[in-house]
């Protein structure tokens, strides 16, 4: 079988791409409307205006498009193939000698183009846009907190400026708190000169103060410099941990490279890295998930989609997508609970779906 595209492949690909793009636009649009309605509650906090909310929303479009793409792909594929089946065009193409395998390859090739663009966007535009959105929102809501364009967090309290390389929410025995890592405190004197610099490995938020650990403090006197090293130090600060937490890049918004770095960091320091491993492997299996979903939907184009309207195709697409994500979620939860390899959890659902798709193809071929 030749893999060089012919006019039939291009026609099928064009129809499928058109319905996928239309479905995609509708899903992303609905998600944006709901997100904007949620942002209305934050308007008026600090200098945060409706214009800021709209700008924040458009910065997050690449991330939303990436998240919605698998669902849009399966629903759009079913609607496009259903349209061809209802008009007997698939039957005509079969009569011209195109096999079901060839038709499946035509659909998969068309979707591979969009999937490749989404993988690229998920590693570049998505994280960049989300980071810009965080910068915009936190700068407008709180003048004392700013997110670095590349990484980290800046905050100010009085004459003290704080910089944290990163951080995360910690939990232990039912208690949760914010922990910042690689923290630097720059304290200015009344005359504007630099009075001291403190570097702490971590800063844990407690009731009304921050607990700095493994602190090295350098103090600048008029004619000398002194340095003190301590295992712990109490920093009396009223910086809002909730505001600081919102300014940190969430794990789900990180590119694969940063997820890998965080996994290494947490393992080196004896911390739980399962959340980052979960997200890391979900990115790697993203293309396989899209392919499995769409290939599993193709057999229906040769049977049940010949009759029935758009509502039936839309219903089947939603059932496919929801069932697949529910199955994968259960596998991932089991992997997390029993400390299994996440690669196995993410590989099993698409493999099972492809196996079912192959069986359905055989039944419809006999």
């Amino acid at each position: 079988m030749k893999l060089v595209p012919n006019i039939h492949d291009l026609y099928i690909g064009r129809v499928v791409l058109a319905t996928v793009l239309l479905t995609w636009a509708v899903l992303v649009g609905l998600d944006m409307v709901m997100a904007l309605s949620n942002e209305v509650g934050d308007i008026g906090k600090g200098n945060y205006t409706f214009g800021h909310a709209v700008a924040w929303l458009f910065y997050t479009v690449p991330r939303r498009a990436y998240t919605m793409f698998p669902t849009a792909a399966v629903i759009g594929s079913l609607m496009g193939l259903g349209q061809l089946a209802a008009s007997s065009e698939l039957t005509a193409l079969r009569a011209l000698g195109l096999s079901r395998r060839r038709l499946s390859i035509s659909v998969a090739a068309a979707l591979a183009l969009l999937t490749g663009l989404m993988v690229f966007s998920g590693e570049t535009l998505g994280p960049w846009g989300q980071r810009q959105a965080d910068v915009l929102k936190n700068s407008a809501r709180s003048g004392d907190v700013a997110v670095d364009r590349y990484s980290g967090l800046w905050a100010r309290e009085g004459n003290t400026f704080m910089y944290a390389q990163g951080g995360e929410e910690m939990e232990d025995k039912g208690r949760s708190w914010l922990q910042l890592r690689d923290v630097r405190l720059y304290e200015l004197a009344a005359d504007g000169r630099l009075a001291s610099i403190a570097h702490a490995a971590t800063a844990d938020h407690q009731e009304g103060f921050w607990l700095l650990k493994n602190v090295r403090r350098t103090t600048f006197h008029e004619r000398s410099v002194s340095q003190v090293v301590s295992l712990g130090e109490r920093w009396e600060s009223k910086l809002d941990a909730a505001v600081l937490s919102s300014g940190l890049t969430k794990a789900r918004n990180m590119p694969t490279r940063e997820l890998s770095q965080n996994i290494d960091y947490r393992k080196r320091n004896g911390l739980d890295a399962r959340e980052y491993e979960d997200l890391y492997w979900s990115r790697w299996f993203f293309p396989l998930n899209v392919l499995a979903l769409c290939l599993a939907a193709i057999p229906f184009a040769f049977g049940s989609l010949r009759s029935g309207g758009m509502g039936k195709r839309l219903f089947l697409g939603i059932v496919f997508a929801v069932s697949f994500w529910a199955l994968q979620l259960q596998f991932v939860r089991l992997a997390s609970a029993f400390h299994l390899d996440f690669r196995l959890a993410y590989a099993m659902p698409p493999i099972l779906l492809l196996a079912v798709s192959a069986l359905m193809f055989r039944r419809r071929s006999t």
Side-chain angles (χ1 to χ4, degrees):
M1 179 177 58
K2 295 181 180 179
L3 295 180
V4 179
N6 54 36
I7 191 171
H8 310 102
D9 299 316
L10 296 176
Y11 178 70
I12 294 171
R14 186 178 64 191
V15 171
V16 171
L17 285 179
T19 52
V20 168
L21 289 173
L22 178 61
T23 307
W24 199 8
V26 171
L27 290 177
V28 174
L30 289 174
D31 188 43
M32 291 176 66
V33 170
M34 290 187 290
L36 184 60
S37 65
N38 291 333
E39 283 300 297
V40 171
D42 289 333
I43 294 175
K45 295 180 180 179
N47 297 321
Y48 196 60
T49 64
F50 182 75
H52 287 115
V54 172
W56 171 88
L57 183 65
F58 277 97
Y59 272 127
T60 63
V61 168
R63 176 183 61 80
R64 298 179 190 280
Y66 177 89
T67 303
M68 291 293 177
F69 177 69
T71 304
V74 66
I75 295 176
S77 298
L78 277 169
M79 293 179 69
L81 291 171
Q83 175 185 326
L84 293 174
S87 61
S88 299
E89 290 179 88
L90 280 184
T91 304
L93 291 171
R94 291 295 313 282
L96 290 174
L98 268 72
S99 65
R100 286 186 171 91
R101 183 180 300 177
R102 181 71 191 206
L103 292 171
S104 301
I105 291 175
S106 301
V107 175
L111 291 174
L113 176 63
L114 287 180
T115 304
L117 291 175
M118 276 300 94
V119 171
F120 177 78
S121 176
E123 295 299 310
T124 54
L125 288 177
W128 175 85
Q130 188 63 49
R131 192 158 287 160
Q132 298 304 309
D134 292 339
V135 170
L136 176 70
K137 186 172 184 176
N138 287 284
S139 298
R141 289 181 57 185
S142 177
D144 293 332
V145 178
V147 183
D148 193 302
R149 285 178 178 264
Y150 301 99
S151 63
L153 179 76
W154 283 96
R156 174 187 177 185
E157 185 177 56
N159 291 332
T160 302
F161 293 82
M162 181 199 73
Y163 173 77
Q165 180 68 28
E168 51 270 326
E169 294 284 346
M170 307 295 291
E171 292 187 8
D172 184 36
K173 297 179 181 179
R175 188 174 68 92
S176 62
W177 69 95
L178 176 65
Q179 182 183 85
L180 303 177
R181 65 173 183 271
D182 198 5
V183 178
R184 288 173 173 80
L185 301 177
Y186 303 90
E187 185 179 357
L188 301 181
D191 58 1
R193 67 180 179 82
L194 183 61
S196 67
I197 300 176
H199 176 258
T202 59
D204 294 337
H205 183 255
Q206 307 293 332
E207 292 292 337
F209 69 96
W210 290 81
L211 180 61
L212 308 178
K213 297 180 180 178
N214 298 324
V215 185
R216 184 176 68 252
R217 180 177 293 276
T218 303
T219 304
F220 302 94
H221 307 284
E222 290 188 5
R223 297 180 178 275
S224 61
V225 177
S226 62
Q227 189 174 86
V228 177
V229 178
S230 60
L231 294 177
E233 187 176 311
R234 182 184 176 116
W235 178 35
E236 301 292 344
S237 171
K238 298 188 181 299
L239 283 175
D240 192 340
V243 175
L244 293 176
S245 178
S246 67
L248 295 169
T249 302
K250 304 297 186 296
R252 65 178 180 273
N253 299 327
M254 293 179 180
T256 304
R257 176 179 53 82
E258 291 186 14
L259 287 171
S260 178
Q261 292 172 351
N262 276 274
I263 291 171
D264 292 339
Y265 167 82
R266 297 180 77 84
K267 286 184 174 180
R268 286 198 309 269
N269 291 273
L271 301 173
D272 185 8
R274 283 178 295 176
E275 177 188 0
Y276 294 88
E277 290 178 334
D278 177 4
L279 293 165
Y280 178 80
W281 290 114
S282 71
R283 301 289 179 79
W284 279 103
F285 282 93
F286 179 87
L288 181 60
N289 289 340
V290 175
L291 179 65
L293 270 170
C294 296
L295 288 181
I298 290 176
F300 287 89
F302 301 103
S304 60
L305 293 186
R306 290 176 183 170
S307 60
M310 186 177 295
K312 181 178 181 180
R313 299 163 200 157
L314 181 62
F315 175 75
L316 279 173
I318 293 173
V319 168
F320 256 94
V322 172
S323 301
F324 177 80
W325 298 127
L327 177 64
Q328 191 167 74
L329 180 61
Q330 293 305 315
F331 273 94
V332 170
R333 285 180 173 176
L334 287 172
S336 179
F338 293 100
H339 298 275
L340 302 175
D341 195 325
F342 281 105
R343 285 171 289 190
L344 181 64
Y346 277 104
M348 287 302 295
I351 289 174
L352 290 174
L353 205 57
L354 288 173
V356 171
S357 177
L359 289 174
M360 293 178 67
F361 260 109
R362 283 188 177 183
R363 283 190 176 185
R364 297 192 184 278
S365 298
T366 57

